[in-house]
Amino acid sequence: MEHLSRRTFLAHTIVVASAPLLPALEGASTKTRLILLGTGGGPRPRKARSASAQVIVTNNTAYVIDCGNGVARQLVFANVPLPIVRHIFLTHHHSDHNADYGNLIWLAWESGLSTRVDTWGPPPLDTMTKLFFEMNAYDIETRIKNEGRVPIGPLVHVHEKSESGSVMQDENVRVTATLVDHPPVFPAFAYRFDASDRSIVISGDTRPCENLVKLAQRADVLVHSAMYVPALDRLVARVPNARTLKASILAHQTSAEDAGRIAQAAAVKTLVLSHLVPADDPEVTDQMWIDLARRYFHGPIIVGRDLLEI
Ligand SMILES: [Zn+2]
């Protein structure tokens, strides 16, 4: 009994000691949460859906996957305190996935982040990070001097990745990446997160890809990018480069049917369609997305929407 009390006391002391650094997430728990922050594919800002981003939160620690435009604000809407961002993973360097990479770190720091952040992704992530801080040196130095903030540079540890394999592991998750097929962008990755209570795979952008089927084997949740091919003509009709844009989308993305095929081949429990292309066509309903994926996948299918927790 005495032993237990001492352990409880110690645990309590540790929590109190770390409290000033990391503000608690509302309803914080050890359950691993997945929140879709942005579910639209493509860089054009839209009312209907924000650009690609997800967050996994466990044990009051946030792991952000992709940083499309608006990711910091979407985290605020999701009630995830910016200072608990601990790891950032980029699937690839397309602007709908990385436009706010630097902004997320910078704005989190201005929101009180004062702890280490590790970032993971394809080259030239290191150069991009350095240049971002250089570009914003005036603001950063002013705030360090005038507001007494810790220097931001030393907090950020960049890890460039070019190959499939193990990424990192900590007390909450084990992260694995695989190369996916997203020409002409190379390398492009999918990430798998294995926590004690569930496994989550984020496909990034890819055309149908065998590596992804292997990575996602028996995962609890597969978040897969998806396009609704019959609506592509309406989408590209809005731009002058319609023909080349359509050919490009078809060549490097996965249809909703194929996302269903991949989910079935990987025997995942739940398929989430996200990075939707088109992202804001009112004629394409959730049921229409589901019907296409349902042709091949027999488990639960969720059509992603911003701020949905899964
Ligand atoms: Zn892409």
Side-chain angles (χ1 to χ4, degrees):
M1 201 60 193
E2 197 183 318
H3 178 65
L4 273 179
S5 316
R6 180 172 158 74
R7 273 174 61 184
T8 309
F9 171 74
L10 281 176
H12 187 69
T13 308
I14 290 163
V15 169
V16 169
S18 63
L21 289 177
L22 298 176
L25 180 77
E26 278 174 32
S29 76
T30 51
K31 178 179 172 290
T32 303
R33 307 169 66 205
L34 166 65
I35 305 168
L36 307 178
L37 299 171
T39 54
R44 180 176 50 86
R46 293 159 300 248
K47 291 180 185 174
R49 294 177 186 278
S50 194
S52 226
Q54 292 81 199
V55 66
I56 293 171
V57 185
T58 182
N59 196 20
N60 207 36
T61 307
Y63 305 76
V64 177
I65 306 99
D66 278 341
C67 295
N69 176 230
V71 60
R73 193 146 190 267
Q74 291 298 95
L75 283 163
V76 171
F77 277 123
N79 293 315
V80 177
L82 294 175
I84 73 166
V85 170
R86 176 65 186 83
H87 290 273
I88 299 172
F89 304 86
L90 293 182
T91 58
H92 66 294
H93 292 306
H94 258 151
S95 53
D96 49 333
H97 296 255
N98 73 5
D100 275 3
Y101 160 69
N103 284 336
L104 173 58
I105 303 169
W106 187 26
L107 300 176
W109 176 74
E110 295 183 345
S111 306
L113 180 143
S114 59
T115 45
R116 176 175 173 138
V117 176
D118 286 78
T119 74
W120 312 81
L125 191 62
D126 197 33
T127 305
M128 290 166 68
T129 310
K130 286 196 179 96
L131 289 176
F132 182 86
F133 289 141
E134 194 181 321
M135 178 174 80
N136 295 295
Y138 184 87
D139 172 272
I140 290 168
E141 281 161 22
T142 302
R143 288 187 195 279
I144 292 170
K145 278 195 204 109
N146 290 359
E147 299 173 6
R149 294 178 191 277
V150 299
I152 188 171
L155 299 178
V156 182
H157 298 256
V158 180
H159 311 265
E160 291 188 347
K161 269 206 70 66
S162 299
E163 290 170 6
S164 299
S166 171
V167 177
M168 54 79 61
Q169 180 164 10
D170 64 11
E171 66 277 25
N172 301 314
V173 289
R174 185 175 75 243
V175 185
T176 317
T178 197
L179 286 166
V180 290
D181 201 6
H182 189 46
V185 178
F186 182 88
F189 291 105
Y191 290 99
R192 177 176 178 131
F193 297 79
D194 286 288
S196 59
D197 57 340
R198 66 198 303 213
S199 49
I200 297 163
V201 175
I202 311 287
S203 74
D205 284 6
T206 182
R207 58 189 182 193
C209 173
E210 193 54 36
N211 276 1
L212 180 58
V213 173
K214 285 185 196 141
L215 183 78
Q217 277 303 314
R218 303 196 174 280
D220 292 304
V221 181
L222 168 63
V223 179
H224 203 300
S225 60
M227 60 182 168
Y228 191 90
V229 176
L232 282 187
D233 284 324
R234 281 200 298 277
L235 170 69
V236 300
R238 301 179 196 164
V239 297
N241 58 332
R243 189 191 295 220
T244 43
L245 181 60
K246 183 181 176 186
S248 166
I249 292 171
L250 285 173
H252 67 223
Q253 300 289 359
T254 298
S255 66
E257 297 99 305
D258 281 340
R261 238 188 266 259
I262 285 155
Q264 192 64 28
V268 302
K269 287 206 183 110
T270 298
L271 169 63
V272 180
L273 301 176
S274 193
H275 189 276
L276 301 179
V277 178
D280 57 355
D281 186 332
E283 291 180 39
V284 184
T285 63
D286 282 7
Q287 194 56 51
M288 289 160 76
W289 285 102
I290 290 170
D291 288 346
L292 289 185
R294 174 69 66 217
R295 290 184 190 170
Y296 299 99
F297 182 61
H298 308 310
I301 301 169
I302 296 170
V303 181
R305 61 181 158 75
D306 291 8
L307 305 178
L308 180 68
E309 177 168 349
I310 292 160

